[in-house]
Amino acid sequence: MENIYANISAETVKVLHDPNIETQDVTSSGMARREQFAKSNHLKAAVVCLGLLCVLLLTGIIGLCAHYNRVASDFEEEQTKLLTETDQLKGEIVNLQNKLLFMEHHFKMGWRHFGSSFYLFSTVEKTWEQSKQDCVGSGADLVIIDSREEQNFINGFNGMFWIGLSDRETEGSWKWVDGTPLTILYWKSGEPNSYGGEEDCAERSLIYSKTEQSWNDVPCGQLKLGICEKVAYP
């Protein structure tokens, strides 16, 4: 027994004083710390990367939101514009339909269209004033000729017709029925002559000549046909 204890004690002392065993313990402890430090660094790096990814993701989301808001705003603006244009087109279609109905009605009633006006050549002879009142009753008035094109259009119809021109208020001061003074003249040669001092109303006459100059002054009480004029698209 004494030998056994002696051997165990010797082995124990040998182990406790073996430098290789101490070196192994120190080495293992250092490696463990280095591994722990490396893991810590890796974890920090992962956290930093995750943070950067979050920042990038948040930046992307903010950018997408801003882009979406711009797109939504542009879409809403374009939609409003299209709705406005659609309403305008609907209004234009309605106006066009009304114009077509207006024209169809007047064509059926015998009116003729030229430029921006409708013209009605009466078939019953009346005085200048009676012809004027007939025109007013139709929403028109005796024709006012204010261009060469209109004069040539009127001259395309034969006969003697009252036009909306007179000097009944002041002798020699010819005015149209709307009160505007005469500026464009298409009197026949030698007219107006106020023959007998009673020729205060104007007629368009093409009995003797088909020249551009076709106006003549005559007494307002004579019986003649009339030419009514109204705006084509009120």
Side-chain angles (χ1 to χ4, degrees):
M1 292 293 292
E2 291 179 357
N3 291 332
I4 294 171
Y5 285 124
N7 290 335
I8 292 174
S9 297
E11 289 295 331
T12 301
V13 171
K14 182 178 180 181
V15 169
L16 291 175
H17 291 85
D18 190 344
N20 293 328
I21 295 175
E22 292 181 359
T23 302
Q24 290 177 359
D25 290 341
V26 172
T27 302
S28 298
S29 177
M31 291 179 63
R33 286 196 296 271
R34 284 195 297 271
E35 289 178 359
Q36 185 177 4
F37 181 75
K39 289 180 180 180
S40 177
N41 288 341
H42 291 162
L43 181 60
K44 290 180 180 179
V47 170
V48 171
C49 290
L50 182 61
L52 290 174
L53 288 175
C54 290
V55 171
L56 292 174
L57 181 61
L58 181 60
T59 303
I61 291 174
I62 293 174
L64 286 175
C65 289
H67 177 70
Y68 171 79
N69 289 334
R70 287 195 300 271
V71 171
S73 178
D74 293 343
F75 174 78
E76 184 176 355
E77 182 179 350
E78 188 67 22
Q79 186 180 37
T80 301
K81 181 180 178 181
L82 289 174
L83 290 174
T84 301
E85 292 177 351
T86 300
D87 291 339
Q88 290 176 348
L89 288 174
K90 288 181 180 179
E92 291 176 1
I93 291 174
V94 171
N95 289 336
L96 180 58
Q97 290 174 338
N98 291 336
K99 288 179 180 180
L100 291 175
L101 291 174
F102 185 83
M103 294 182 69
E104 182 180 3
H105 169 74
H106 282 76
F107 287 148
K108 289 180 179 179
M109 299 297 293
W111 291 78
R112 298 173 182 272
H113 178 257
F114 177 78
S116 59
S117 297
F118 275 116
Y119 301 85
L120 181 65
F121 294 78
S122 66
T123 57
V124 179
E125 292 183 341
K126 296 184 179 183
T127 67
W128 188 91
E129 183 62 31
Q130 289 172 339
S131 296
K132 180 180 182 298
Q133 293 305 318
D134 282 351
C135 292
V136 171
S138 299
D141 214 330
L142 283 173
V143 63
I144 297 174
I145 301 172
D146 55 11
S147 70
R148 172 170 290 178
E149 292 77 14
E150 188 174 22
Q151 169 69 2
N152 290 332
F153 168 74
I154 297 298
N155 279 351
F157 301 86
N158 291 323
M160 294 181 291
F161 294 90
W162 290 122
I163 62 176
L165 183 65
S166 73
D167 66 346
R168 295 192 302 171
E169 295 182 1
T170 304
E171 180 65 27
S173 179
W174 291 88
K175 293 183 179 180
W176 295 104
V177 287
D178 64 353
T180 57
L182 178 64
T183 55
I184 302 177
L185 312 178
Y186 294 102
W187 294 109
K188 285 184 176 182
S189 178
E191 302 292 344
N193 57 18
S194 191
Y195 181 76
E198 296 181 355
E199 295 185 331
D200 295 330
C201 293
E203 67 169 353
R204 197 301 320 264
S205 174
L206 279 179
I207 290 182
Y208 304 110
S209 172
K210 290 192 176 183
T211 63
E212 192 172 75
Q213 310 301 117
S214 60
W215 297 353
N216 179 40
D217 63 332
V218 295
C220 299
Q222 288 188 4
L223 299 180
K224 298 182 183 297
L225 302 176
I227 305 175
C228 298
E229 179 185 10
K230 67 163 54 175
V231 177
Y233 311 117

